Amino acid sequence: MSDSAYTQLLDLACGAFLLAAVMVLWRHELTAIVRVFALQGVALAAVAALLGLHEGRAGLVVVAVGIGALRAGVLPYLTHRALAALTTDRQPYDTASTETRETRPLVNVAASLLTAAALTLLAHAVARPLVELDPTPATRALPVGLAVVLIGFFVLVTRRHALAQAVGFLLLDNGITATAFLATSGVPLIVELGVSFDVLLAVLVLRLLTARMRAAFGTTDLDDLRELHD
């Protein structure tokens, strides 16, 4: 692979990775948010695969395949199953969409998109000194990983639905993983496996908790649960 083709493909994968995070802020349907998260997993796997192919590191390509299977397959599947479990016991007359949509985020869509733009600019400003130390195609894309970390944290603190917050946590983890790949040209396989299994365990726990919340209180909207507490 030539250097120009590598740079273009890496920029394309990083652009898709960042765009997926922004799309999570734009969409309200939880099913669509899970699909966007799966697409981001594909983009993250592509970033790792491009780094491995360019540097001739077979281990990094194996890590990329594992990332694709876990973050574009297993995690979205588990999240989708958790969403399906929340809606199977709804009554026919129940037309409310609180279990399938993020209906009342703390920040509306327009303000969220503007905030995402501001966070992306902040990530570029913060990463500039690091990029100047070693201006390679990978390090020049480092602000993308930092921007997704910030956007994931923003989703985590502004969404009211438990599953939407879980996706925010997963975005945050994807951003950290991308930052590690771009800054260090990949991480050891055993480290990535350990982190991935931790994330998988967290998703399984979140799925169990959302199912219990739905069974006990009839909703997973955190504002409704605060009202029950009050």
Side-chain angles (χ1 to χ4, degrees):
M1 181 185 300
S2 65
D3 290 341
S4 61
Y6 162 70
T7 301
Q8 292 175 359
L9 290 175
L10 184 63
D11 290 343
L12 180 62
C14 290
F17 184 71
L18 178 59
L19 180 61
V22 176
M23 289 286 290
V24 170
L25 294 174
W26 178 47
R27 302 304 299 265
H28 285 290
E29 299 84 0
L30 293 177
T31 302
I33 289 175
V34 173
R35 289 173 183 158
V36 171
F37 171 73
L39 293 177
Q40 188 184 57
V42 174
L44 179 59
V47 169
L50 287 170
L51 290 172
L53 292 174
H54 179 70
E55 299 178 5
R57 296 170 56 186
L60 193 52
V61 176
V62 173
V63 170
V65 173
I67 287 176
L70 179 65
R71 305 188 184 224
V74 177
L75 294 180
Y77 171 76
L78 291 176
T79 309
H80 181 74
R81 286 290 300 272
L83 178 60
L86 296 177
T87 57
T88 52
D89 59 345
R90 292 171 60 187
Q91 300 298 324
Y93 56 80
D94 184 7
T95 58
S97 60
T98 56
E99 297 303 324
T100 59
R101 289 174 56 88
E102 176 62 63
T103 56
R104 296 177 297 171
L106 296 177
V107 182
N108 61 33
V109 173
S112 295
L113 295 177
L114 291 175
T115 302
L119 293 175
T120 303
L121 292 176
L122 176 62
H124 277 273
V126 170
R128 181 177 299 176
L130 299 176
V131 175
E132 291 176 351
L133 292 176
D134 185 21
T136 64
T139 56
R140 283 196 291 268
L142 186 60
V144 171
L146 294 177
V148 173
V149 170
L150 296 175
I151 292 173
F153 186 75
F154 179 74
V155 172
L156 188 60
V157 300
T158 59
R159 293 304 184 259
R160 299 182 177 183
H161 197 288
L163 279 178
Q165 291 188 353
V167 172
F169 167 76
L170 295 174
L171 288 180
L172 180 63
D173 181 73
N174 278 353
I176 293 173
T177 303
T179 301
F181 279 124
L182 295 172
T184 64
S185 296
V187 295
L189 177 60
I190 189 64
V191 174
E192 178 57 33
L193 286 176
V195 173
S196 297
F197 279 119
D198 285 344
V199 174
L200 179 59
L201 178 61
V203 171
L204 291 174
V205 171
L206 288 170
R207 179 185 175 186
L208 177 62
L209 288 177
T210 53
R212 291 293 183 89
M213 289 166 58
R214 174 66 174 171
F217 305 110
T219 182
T220 55
D221 189 292
L222 300 184
D223 277 357
D224 291 341
L225 296 181
R226 291 192 189 98
E227 291 176 3
L228 291 174
H229 178 271
D230 295 338

